[in-house]
Amino acid sequence: MDSGRFFRGIARITGGFSPSLSVRAFMRVLLSAADLAAGIERLAAEVRREAGDTPLVVVGVLTGSIVIVADLIRRLDGPVRVSMAWASSYRGTATEPGTLRLHLDLLPDLTGQDVLVVDDIFDTGRTMEAIVAALKQRGAATVRSLVLLRKQGRGEVAIEPDFVGFEIPDVFVVGYGLDFDGTLRQLDHVAALDEADIAAVRASKPPLGVP
Ligand code: IMP
Ligand code: MG
């Protein structure tokens, strides 16, 4: 994208904020929209290679997985049903996870089903570990896990995701569904926020991404 279009895009998203703040918070593009599209295509092929034509119940983890799920299910050939679970680590403006809460009330009966849990990122792995365990307990025949991103050197659990789109360094990322304090999910790329970006977003009122 040419820089003029980029900066006009930022101005549109952040309307009313100082250009230096807006640009700062968006500068480090880690994965472009094209990178992400290729990654989703590859993930979908890997899932079908492994699962064959088996009907899959895709369980997206709200809210970060909404964009990934929407793109992935349109690439997954074969029978698919979609449902959602909700998990929150209460991050707010913190960038470290807090207490994990799960809400599984939206899920259908999963007895005997082949489930694919889809989340945005595998950081400590605690969210995925808890959801996979809960779905197995609900009688799913198989539970596979897919994440768009995995942060290196952060894992705190014994499980590994079955499918990983991209390995990324230990940085805080936003966009393509991932948020900072509820904002910036709408970016079509994944960007890294450094400490100064985070301080700038924390200081902005109303928060970035909410015109
Ligand atoms: P985990 O339980 O530590 O693996 O964290 C997983 C959840 O934390 C993800 O579903 C995300 O919602 C959130 N998370 C972890 N790292 C980031 C990040 O860099 N940006 C935004 N959200 C993140
Ligand atoms: Mg999440």
Side-chain angles (χ1 to χ4, degrees), residues 93-152:
T93 61
T95 52
E96 286 298 318
T99 315
L100 176 65
R101 291 198 309 157
L102 294 184
H103 288 282
L104 306 175
D105 326 352
L106 298 172
L107 294 176
D109 179 10
L110 295 174
T111 313
Q113 301 291 318
D114 292 299
V115 173
L116 178 68
V117 183
V118 176
D119 203 1
D120 49 7
I121 190 165
F122 192 95
D123 182 13
T124 66
R126 298 210 173 276
T127 305
M128 189 57 89
E129 180 187 51
I131 291 192
V132 167
L135 300 188
K136 283 185 177 159
Q137 212 190 3
R138 288 180 168 222
T142 62
V143 182
R144 296 183 179 92
S145 55
L146 178 152
V147 289
L148 181 73
L149 309 175
R150 176 168 54 182
K151 268 190 210 174
Q152 280 158 356

Side-chain angles (χ1 to χ4, degrees), residues 6-83:
F6 178 74
F7 291 122
R8 279 194 298 282
I10 296 309
R12 184 172 46 74
I13 293 168
T14 60
F17 296 97
S18 83
S20 55
L21 169 62
S22 314
V23 169
R24 181 163 188 82
F26 290 82
M27 272 313 278
R28 258 191 77 203
V29 176
L30 212 59
L31 295 163
S32 68
D35 295 333
L36 293 163
I40 294 286
E41 192 83 50
R42 182 167 38 77
L43 282 167
E46 278 175 30
V47 169
R48 274 303 171 204
R49 216 170 18 249
E50 164 116 10
D53 289 336
T54 328
L56 289 175
V57 182
V58 171
V59 173
V61 182
L62 291 169
T63 305
S65 74
I66 53 171
V67 183
I68 301 141
V69 167
D71 283 350
L72 183 74
I73 58 174
R74 288 178 291 166
R75 299 281 174 277
L76 273 180
D77 297 326
V80 163
R81 288 196 294 148
V82 182
S83 192

